[in-house]
Amino acid sequence: MRKAAAYLDSASSEPLHPAARETLLAAYDRGYADPRRLHGPGRDARLLLDNARAVVAECLEVRPDEVTFTASGTEAVHRGLLGLRRVGPVAYAAVEHSSVVHAATWAGDAVEIPVDRLGRVDASAVPADVGVVAVQSANHEVGTLQPVADLDRDAPLFVDACASMGRLPLPHGWDALAGSAHKWGGPAGVGVLVVRKGARWVNPFPGDDRIDERSSGFENVPAALAAAAALRAVVEERAEVGARQRALVDRIRRAAAEIPDVEVVGDPVERLPHLVTFSCLYVDGEALVTELDRRGYGVASGSACTASTLTPSRVLEAMGVLTHGNVRVSLTRDTSEADVDGLLTELPGVVREIRARVGL
Amino acid sequence: MSIDLDLDCRGLLCPLPVIELGKRYVEVPVGGLVAVLADDVAARTDIPAWCRMRGQEFVGEEEPGRYVVRRLS
């Protein structure tokens, strides 16, 4: 019999936080109107939007007027990065999320900053004479934290903080930064763009006549408010949840490393609390994901055969670690010790079975 | 460079070229060279990674898509 599923892919999307669910339903009743209008329902919507902005600012320890809600994390990345760019190429860490790479490619002139085997950029290796620098707060596939505050640079700095927002305090030293609500347990369809007061940021896209000049389109007020409620809850819980997740990830790292010819990647200490990635030699990544799913464990993979592009993860490639047989396990706030124990009980047998299919 | 074993893995998707290498490198003597011809892009990362994990020497990508490995043990 198939047991109840353990969803272990929070790095792709965290289940909606209970605090967000309640807020979302209430806000749909109160936050439907156009927040620019002067009638009662409009003023109500405006109040909710301003409240959402204030809560997010407080959680992130930034000013409310530095916070913009966008339609997604990707949109926040595109606006944040391209709006900072001066004349010159976009320099980005080789392990950045694809949204950064696509924005850099769209800008037309890009240069990669190499990373080491752990996936970390060398803070002194940022090229000079570039138009903007993009370095993530933490890597979304392997968890490694980046030395954002220590980067030796002369161009403005954009930070993609989608993987860490809510889970860790923001790093220092950036000019614009992006986050994504569904990665911390808010609803999908809400991105957060933060532009530092005084940063030279110019809207790279057509403008609009909305409340916030850095965004365009009708504000998703209920979702923004729910995202803010989830963020507040996550920040309040993070000491406890983060410590629990950190210990569980340590266990997964140790157990995976004991399976023959398995390499656990990313920084073992300076990392996100909730995720871990490892690669199994001679194992087909798609088969591994499928077999674990059959046993009730939902995990992601950076192997080529599991990607829509049929190319291996750029992150693993840039680190020079094995790209096939790759699994990323990322814990939700509810992931229990029993879930992790169950996964670790199944894993060695699944790897052995897939290797046996090819005679190894 | 004298290659002791040529493995033509063109058309094979990952992880098949590495599986082929893992199964057959023992056919050459210690110190011998294996060349893997592969057009799957993952081979560029995975063959050096295999060498590191298995304690063998990655000699290099001698020409595009042709990877040379020295058996050390």
Side-chain angles (χ1 to χ4, degrees), chain A residues 117 261 263 282 323-324 358, chain B residues 15 23 45-46 50 52 54:
Chain A
R117 181 70 42 77
D261 293 320
E263 186 174 38
Y282 310 133
T323 69
H324 71 245
V358 295
Chain B
K23 280 182 175 172
T45 309
D46 286 3
W50 176 88
R52 187 165 46 74
R54 300 295 306 172

Side-chain angles (χ1 to χ4, degrees), chain A residues 117 261-263 281-284 312 316-317 320-324 358-360, chain B residues 14-16 18-19 21-23 25 40-42 45-46 49-50 52-54:
Chain A
R117 181 70 42 77
D261 293 320
V262 169
E263 186 174 38
L281 198 56
Y282 310 133
V283 170
D284 176 81
L316 302 175
E317 226 173 40
V321 299
L322 199 67
T323 69
H324 71 245
V358 295
L360 280 163
Chain B
C14 97
L16 294 173
V18 176
I19 289 174
L21 174 62
K23 280 182 175 172
Y25 79 100
D40 184 67
V41 287
T45 309
D46 286 3
W50 176 88
R52 187 165 46 74
M53 290 171 75
R54 300 295 306 172

Side-chain angles (χ1 to χ4, degrees), chain A residues 12-341:
Chain A
S12 293
S13 195
E14 173 85 22
L16 196 65
H17 194 286
R21 178 182 301 273
E22 289 162 30
T23 305
L24 192 58
L25 292 176
Y28 272 126
D29 288 332
R30 268 192 68 198
Y32 57 87
D34 187 338
R36 292 177 312 165
R37 301 296 174 213
L38 300 179
H39 46 58
R43 288 199 306 273
D44 244 13
R46 177 63 191 258
L47 195 71
L48 296 186
L49 185 62
D50 287 346
N51 183 238
R53 196 189 314 280
V55 169
V56 167
E58 192 191 328
C59 291
L60 300 180
E61 299 181 53
V62 299
R63 297 163 50 122
D65 60 357
E66 294 176 327
V67 174
T68 295
F69 292 108
T70 62
S72 66
T74 296
E75 195 201 347
V77 165
H78 291 174
R79 285 178 180 273
L81 174 62
L82 297 171
L84 283 182
R85 186 183 176 217
R86 311 220 212 293
V87 176
V90 178
Y92 63 88
V95 294
E96 290 296 309
H97 186 268
S98 58
S99 59
V100 170
V101 180
H102 281 293
T105 308
W106 186 81
D109 192 6
V111 49
E112 277 193 0
I113 311 168
V115 298
D116 63 15
R117 181 70 42 77
L118 296 175
R120 182 169 288 120
V121 296
D122 176 350
S124 61
V126 179
D129 301 320
V130 296
V132 61
V133 176
V135 174
Q136 60 196 182
S137 56
N139 185 262
H140 51 292
E141 285 185 38
V142 303
T144 299
L145 303 184
Q146 301 292 353
V148 167
D150 302 327
L151 294 173
D152 182 14
R153 62 181 172 89
D154 42 26
L157 175 63
F158 169 77
V159 170
D160 169 14
C162 289
S164 72
M165 191 173 280
R167 301 174 187 278
L168 297 172
L170 294 184
H172 297 286
W174 43 271
D175 297 289
L177 171 147
S180 176
H182 73 95
K183 297 211 187 273
W184 71 65
V190 182
V192 170
L193 167 65
V194 190
V195 177
R196 273 287 185 232
K197 198 82 190 161
R200 207 178 82 192
W201 184 90
V202 180
N203 192 342
F205 301 133
D208 201 354
D209 304 319
R210 306 301 306 177
I211 290 163
D212 186 334
E213 60 180 20
R214 288 187 295 254
S215 68
S216 66
F218 190 89
E219 299 82 0
N220 188 347
V221 175
L225 193 68
L231 185 61
R232 175 151 61 194
V234 165
V235 168
E236 280 169 4
E237 295 164 355
R238 78 174 161 211
E240 185 265 320
V241 172
R244 181 156 45 82
Q245 290 179 332
R246 188 166 280 281
L248 289 173
V249 163
D250 279 337
R251 268 175 59 188
I252 300 171
R253 292 186 73 98
R254 278 196 301 273
E258 278 172 19
I259 303 171
D261 293 320
V262 169
E263 186 174 38
V264 184
V265 302
D267 194 306
V269 181
E270 296 298 314
R271 61 168 172 84
L272 289 170
H274 66 299
L275 75 85
V276 51
T277 289
F278 51 88
S279 294
C280 312
L281 198 56
Y282 310 133
V283 170
D284 176 81
E286 188 178 4
L288 192 49
V289 170
T290 306
E291 288 303 323
L292 289 173
D293 180 56
R294 278 183 53 196
R295 288 159 176 79
Y297 299 95
V299 299
S301 171
S303 295
C305 45
T306 65
S308 54
T309 53
L310 286 181
T311 54
S313 148
R314 293 176 24 265
V315 172
L316 302 175
E317 226 173 40
M319 293 164 63
V321 299
L322 199 67
T323 69
H324 71 245
N326 178 258
V327 164
R328 179 185 68 187
V329 179
S330 53
L331 313 180
T332 72
R333 60 190 282 279
D334 294 325
T335 301
S336 68
E337 225 175 300
D339 295 331
V340 169
D341 282 343

